[in-house]
Amino acid sequence: EMVDIFTADGSRELFSFAELVDKFGPRTRRGVIVCFLSMLEMARLRLIHLRQDSETLAISVAPRHSPTDRRRRGAWKQK
């Protein structure tokens, strides 16, 4: 289901963790944990990039469209 969220809106470069939790299901403790674990697995499979802001601690997620796609680095500069 999480992969479908990224592919449904292919034009998006960057998602926030909170936004993905809300799209994935209800914002319950279980829902947040399931969303976080699925994002960690997708990062392990190199399907997404994860970054945490050092000031706000917000987690940003960027889909990785191909293993050699270097254009995604510019997405991190967006706020």
Side-chain angles (χ1 to χ4, degrees):
E1 291 178 22
M2 185 65 74
V3 175
D4 295 337
I5 293 172
F6 291 116
T7 56
D9 196 355
S11 63
R12 295 274 312 267
E13 296 274 335
L14 197 60
F15 296 85
S16 71
F17 175 70
E19 178 184 8
L20 291 174
V21 168
D22 291 339
K23 284 185 176 190
F24 189 63
R27 195 181 276 202
T28 61
R29 181 178 181 170
R30 181 183 174 117
V32 171
I33 291 169
V34 168
C35 183
F36 186 73
L37 290 175
S38 63
M39 284 187 355
L40 289 179
E41 179 65 12
M42 290 177 68
R44 185 185 73 79
L45 295 172
R46 300 193 183 275
L47 299 173
I48 61 172
H49 297 282
L50 296 174
R51 179 163 291 175
Q52 186 172 23
D53 186 279
S54 61
E55 292 178 17
T56 65
L57 302 180
I59 299 172
S60 299
V61 184
R64 185 184 268 203
H65 296 282
S66 72
T68 58
D69 191 357
R70 305 244 185 251
R71 295 177 297 133
R72 297 290 170 241
R73 292 184 182 179
W76 296 120
K77 296 177 184 175
Q78 299 174 0
K79 291 271 178 169

